[in-house]
Amino acid sequence: MKALSTEIRRVATPYGAMEYTLERKKVKNINLRVKESGEVYVSAPKRVPVGEIESFIISRSDNIRRAAEYYAERDMKKAQPSYENGSALMFLGRQLRLELMTDSREFIALWGMALEVHMKDTSDIQHAKELVEGWYERQCSDVFHDLIVKVHGKFLKYDVDLSQLKIRTMRSRWGSCNYTKGIITLNRRLIEAPRHCIEHVVTHEFCHFIHPNHSKDFYALLSAEFPDWKASKKELEKTVIL
């Protein structure tokens, strides 16, 4: 619906001054939305006084703040790591601190919450990125393969063969299943999530070997083999943003 008029205003809230865009439209009620950028938009009928609109905004200020924080956190999780010394990286549900260490040898060691990258020239960020990404690729291969074997054990009773594993980066899917060729493809970014979340995705894909759809029978099987799948799915989507 086309706006009759648009103006940018500021209102004092319990959380400080808040800027918002006020659009006068042919609507019946005051409507408020927070965009993914954190910008606040309010549409209201022409007859409603500004004071009433801003009282409405103030009454919703806590919800606005939480929405803005959610989008900001989501954007931070979606952002690519810088690979500079002290950067934060996610691994199996834990936040690690990247430590670039000068060494005549090149290797990576995980010590507690620190991922140590031993390299000759710590100023070479591009090489640090290559070393870290190589380490992640090896972790994906090891962890995903172990979980494929573990979950397959639950599906022996259904005469499901051990699947072939493929790993790649996907923009909108955690995994996929080619049930005709016996292949399960997992998103590389799953390695950032807790192990049980990855196991849920693997179980989900194995269920497709029996039900290649998302029917009631599929979800009944998934619930039988991974009863806590809904909570794990929710945790996964909160931990790693695609």
Side-chain angles (χ1 to χ4, degrees), residues 185-200:
T185 302
L186 297 179
N187 193 328
R188 174 198 173 281
R189 292 200 62 200
L190 278 172
I191 199 65
E192 300 172 31
R195 191 179 293 266
H196 64 272
C197 292
I198 308 172
E199 184 175 346
H200 149 246

Side-chain angles (χ1 to χ4, degrees), residues 166-177 184-190 201 205 241-242:
K166 290 189 176 181
I167 302 168
R168 66 186 182 91
T169 299
M170 294 182 276
R171 290 176 179 263
S172 61
R173 305 177 71 179
W174 293 116
S176 63
C177 168
I184 286 178
T185 302
L186 297 179
N187 193 328
R188 174 198 173 281
R189 292 200 62 200
L190 278 172
V201 175
E205 300 308 331
I241 309 297
L242 294 181

Side-chain angles (χ1 to χ4, degrees), residues 53 69 79 82 171 175 195 215:
I53 294 170
E69 288 177 350
S82 67
R171 290 176 179 263
R195 191 179 293 266
S215 62

Side-chain angles (χ1 to χ4, degrees), residues 98-110:
L98 183 63
E99 294 187 357
L100 305 183
M101 309 182 73
T102 303
D103 200 320
S104 59
R105 300 171 300 160
E106 289 191 340
F107 66 95
I108 292 182
L110 178 60

Side-chain angles (χ1 to χ4, degrees), residues 76-77 79-100 108-110 112-117 128-129 131-136 188-189 191-193 239-240:
M76 182 180 67
K77 289 178 179 178
Q80 292 294 318
S82 67
Y83 297 99
E84 295 179 349
N85 193 42
S87 297
L89 299 170
M90 291 298 296
F91 177 66
L92 294 180
R94 299 185 298 158
Q95 181 171 292
L96 304 180
R97 183 182 68 261
L98 183 63
E99 294 187 357
L100 305 183
I108 292 182
L110 178 60
M113 304 303 289
L115 186 66
E116 296 182 356
V117 179
K129 176 182 178 181
L131 291 173
V132 172
E133 289 186 345
W135 181 83
Y136 266 101
R188 174 198 173 281
R189 292 200 62 200
I191 199 65
E192 300 172 31
T239 304
V240 187

